[in-house]
Amino acid sequence: MFGFGNLIRAATAIAFGVLGAWLAGWPGAVAGEIVAAAVAGLLMRYWLVRLAESTTAPSPDALTVDSPRDYGGYWIFVSIILVSAPLYLDRLFVGHVFGAAAAGSYAFVLLFYMINSTIVAIIVQSVGPQLVMMERSGATLLRQVKTASAWSAACIFAGAAQLAAAAFAVFVWPLESLGDKYGVTVGTFVAISFLSFFRVSEFFDWLMISRDREKDMTTASALFFATTVLGAGAVIQFDLSLEQLIWLLALARGIQLAAQLILLFRHRTR
């Protein structure tokens, strides 16, 4: 359900963001982002209520889950907060530091971030439970990592293909006027692409959960949060550009992914 929520959030952001930018410029793009968040929230509430009222019996093949003994669910909650907070406060930060026009440009650029995010959100809700089943059936950590890595590579490849098409549209035809209007440069586009590619860390979140490594998952998320805060401080202290800020966000995601892999193999059991 969490992956499906990401999918709805990303799809609505793309639809309302592009429509808003086309109708009213950068204020429309920001307004579209706000409307998308509200619509996604209402849709998810509707589906969750229907799910709660469902009387469908559980599948006989469903996994039997023991009651938590180490507060794993709380660690997952903290991890999600640490990852989500910078990605929801970034627009406010950009608007405060760089100004309203830059905030509109950033909101427009984030539409391309949503391209690969949508792909990952679709795939991870299927592959994640598969990684859990693999662990329950006795699969080795290396096999799980290979599976997660293969799907990550597939998502990056698919995202890169769509981003290439989007780059052609923005820099060549037919949306080159929007690219010029919002000041989208090749460097900014490449930076946002790398930031979107590192969304594949969600596959490894599932892998860590499958092995009851929620604390390590939170540690990796804390590293992302800390790197983001340090990057924001560097932007203010050294008067860095918006493009450099996006690269710092991508670096933070990359550090999170590297930490996940290191922590997974540090306490490897099989």
Side-chain angles (χ1 to χ4, degrees):
M1 181 59 73
F2 180 69
F4 184 65
N6 281 337
L7 168 61
I8 295 298
R9 177 72 180 85
T12 52
I14 292 173
F16 287 102
V18 171
L19 179 62
W22 181 65
L23 292 176
W26 71 261
V30 175
E33 177 76 12
I34 295 172
V35 172
V39 171
L42 289 173
L43 287 174
M44 286 304 299
R45 183 185 184 283
Y46 171 74
W47 281 314
L48 283 171
V49 169
R50 289 193 60 184
L51 182 63
E53 294 174 348
S54 174
T55 58
T56 303
S59 168
D61 297 326
L63 291 173
T64 300
V65 181
D66 297 330
S67 58
R69 298 178 181 177
D70 57 354
Y71 302 99
Y74 296 102
W75 287 112
I76 294 174
F77 177 77
V78 172
S79 176
I80 293 173
I81 292 296
L82 288 171
V83 170
S84 300
L87 299 178
Y88 279 102
L89 298 175
D90 55 353
R91 297 162 185 78
L92 293 175
F93 177 81
V94 170
H96 177 73
V97 174
F98 297 101
S105 299
Y106 184 65
F108 179 75
V109 169
L110 282 181
L111 296 175
F112 304 106
Y113 170 79
M114 292 296 181
I115 291 176
N116 203 53
S117 296
T118 303
I119 295 173
V120 172
I122 293 171
I123 303 299
V124 77
Q125 60 183 316
S126 174
V127 177
Q130 177 185 339
L131 291 170
V132 175
M133 291 291 293
M134 289 176 64
E135 198 282 332
R136 296 293 188 269
S137 62
T140 63
L141 174 60
L142 185 59
R143 183 185 169 195
Q144 284 181 290
V145 169
K146 286 182 178 179
T147 300
S149 299
W151 281 108
S152 297
C155 287
I156 291 174
F157 180 80
Q162 294 192 50
L163 284 167
F168 180 87
V170 170
F171 295 113
V172 182
W173 179 85
L175 302 177
E176 67 277 9
S177 60
L178 282 179
D180 294 335
K181 181 178 181 179
Y182 291 103
V184 181
T185 65
V186 174
T188 302
F189 195 90
V190 173
I192 206 70
S193 298
F194 271 91
L195 177 60
S196 71
F197 292 156
F198 284 126
R199 276 293 300 271
V200 298
S201 62
E202 292 183 19
F203 288 105
F204 297 92
D205 283 339
W206 274 94
L207 201 160
M208 300 184 94
I209 291 171
S210 75
R211 291 187 167 265
D212 299 323
R213 305 288 289 279
E214 291 86 355
K215 289 184 180 179
D216 287 340
M217 174 182 166
T218 305
T219 299
S221 298
L223 286 173
F224 165 77
F225 182 84
T227 306
T228 301
V229 171
L230 290 174
V235 168
I236 296 173
Q237 180 67 29
F238 301 108
D239 195 25
L240 301 182
S241 66
L242 179 60
E243 178 183 328
Q244 290 170 318
L245 171 63
I246 299 174
W247 276 114
L248 287 171
L249 289 173
L251 173 65
R253 274 292 197 179
I255 289 174
Q256 178 192 4
L257 180 58
Q260 286 175 319
L261 292 171
I262 292 172
L263 291 170
L264 274 169
F265 283 100
R266 187 183 65 174
H267 296 137
R268 180 179 177 181
T269 56
R270 68 172 188 273

